[in-house]
Amino acid sequence: MIELRWGERTWVMGIINVTPDSFSGDGIATPGRSEAEIVAAALDQARGFVAAGAQILDVGGESSRPAQFYGDHPTVSATDEAALAVPVVAALVRAFEGQALVSIDTAKGSVARLALGTGARMVNDVWAGQADLDTVAAAAEAGAHLVLMHNKEVAEYPDGVFAEVSSWLSEAVARAIAAGVPGDRLIVDPGIGFGKTPAHSIEILHRLAELKAALGGLPLLVGTSRKRVIGELLGGAAPDERLEGTAASVALAIAAGADIVRVHDVAAIMKTVRVADGIVRWRA
């Protein structure tokens, strides 16, 4: 069984989008595909991820791309989201037991409960329980890891982005602990690109070490993969042209104390992680 131990290495989370409309163009649930075909495609993608060195597989059944920057997109009911994601979670748990930890990327408590019931061991909530506190309760009852990500509908920060993200996440952590999630099961994510302009995201990335310290040293997940901020820094590069920029941001995040990096291009980014870890965690 995979046990997450912090400080020894950077853990790589591979993104498995069981959606038809991912911003990054890698959604598996393309129109006309049957459940069996979707599960088979997810298993194939996961095999490549695990072979390359990913230790966490993050399955999402609803696109969470920010409407402010990517336009409105259809909401997905809990029933439809579960129908897409839960069979994939169950298949990955069976296929990779002892090799990888399976995570459910959802802001809906009912979806989290179904996924945890099939063996998922992490809930990755992009609203940190703000959309549905039952995600937090589900994680607490299952003894699962819980990722609390900062999010916001509109990218406005009158008191400064760093102060608000730090305060917001501190409050989310307190709520989760009050709901029964042990502190050693919590992971925080500053939500790069979520409710943030590229300038906001750059400030947060620049101050990651400071943010981790402000949050009491809790494990930090950073997701920059193919994000808009990378495209902006590369002069308007499309999502499929952001690999090298993603690699640079991953290396810098590791240097600043990131414990988990969430990525699409696992094989390529794994090389970045190994080199960054070899330097950052070097001991004479």
Side-chain angles (χ1 to χ4, degrees):
M1 181 180 289
I2 296 288
E3 291 296 337
L4 301 178
R5 294 187 298 274
W6 310 117
E8 298 177 6
R9 65 185 300 173
T10 304
W11 300 87
V12 174
M13 173 185 276
I15 301 167
I16 299 180
N17 281 320
V18 191
T19 62
D21 58 349
S22 169
F23 87 92
S24 56
D26 64 337
I28 288 173
T30 51
R33 262 188 171 173
S34 67
E35 178 183 305
E37 290 171 326
I38 292 169
V39 170
L43 281 167
D44 187 57
Q45 185 178 42
R47 287 187 194 99
F49 284 178
V50 174
Q55 307 94 357
I56 307 170
L57 303 171
D58 193 38
V59 179
E62 179 178 20
S63 174
S64 56
R65 66 187 189 274
Q68 184 178 6
F69 304 117
Y70 293 96
D72 290 332
H73 52 92
T75 57
V76 178
S77 70
T79 299
D80 289 345
E81 184 181 339
L84 286 169
V86 174
V88 170
V89 169
L92 297 184
V93 168
R94 288 192 300 270
F96 300 104
E97 180 65 34
Q99 301 176 69
L101 181 155
V102 180
S103 166
I104 178 68
D105 177 358
T106 186
K108 300 183 180 75
S110 62
V111 177
R113 287 178 184 280
L114 289 170
L116 291 166
T118 69
R121 294 177 52 218
M122 180 181 288
V123 177
N124 182 11
D125 185 348
V126 299
W127 281 101
Q130 293 277 52
D132 183 359
L133 190 58
D134 196 41
T135 57
V136 178
E141 292 164 17
H145 294 278
L146 175 63
V147 180
L148 300 169
M149 193 191 85
H150 175 268
N151 209 335
K152 195 173 183 179
E153 292 286 355
V154 180
E156 295 177 356
Y157 297 89
D159 296 322
V161 65
F162 182 86
E164 185 168 324
V165 169
S166 177
S167 174
W168 193 98
L169 284 173
S170 293
E171 292 172 5
V173 166
R175 283 194 301 271
I177 291 173
V181 181
D184 63 3
R185 291 286 167 175
L186 291 174
I187 298 159
V188 289
D189 177 351
I192 300 302
F194 286 85
K196 300 170 188 68
T197 65
H200 291 143
S201 291
I202 289 168
E203 179 177 348
I204 292 297
L205 288 168
H206 184 76
R207 301 176 70 178
L208 277 179
E210 188 180 347
L211 179 65
K212 185 171 183 175
L215 295 170
L218 282 171
L220 185 66
L221 185 154
V222 178
T224 57
S225 185
R226 302 185 186 178
K227 290 283 179 72
R228 180 169 174 260
V229 61
I230 304 298
E232 291 281 337
L233 288 169
L234 292 174
D240 62 356
E241 299 172 332
R242 299 172 184 173
L243 175 59
E244 295 86 354
T246 295
S249 66
V250 165
L252 290 167
I254 291 170
D259 297 280
I260 303 174
V261 291
R262 185 177 183 272
V263 300
H264 299 85
D265 303 288
V266 171
I269 299 299
M270 199 73 217
K271 297 175 184 177
T272 300
V273 171
R274 286 176 177 141
V275 171
D277 268 356
I279 296 169
V280 171
R281 305 182 194 282
W282 176 78
R283 296 290 183 272

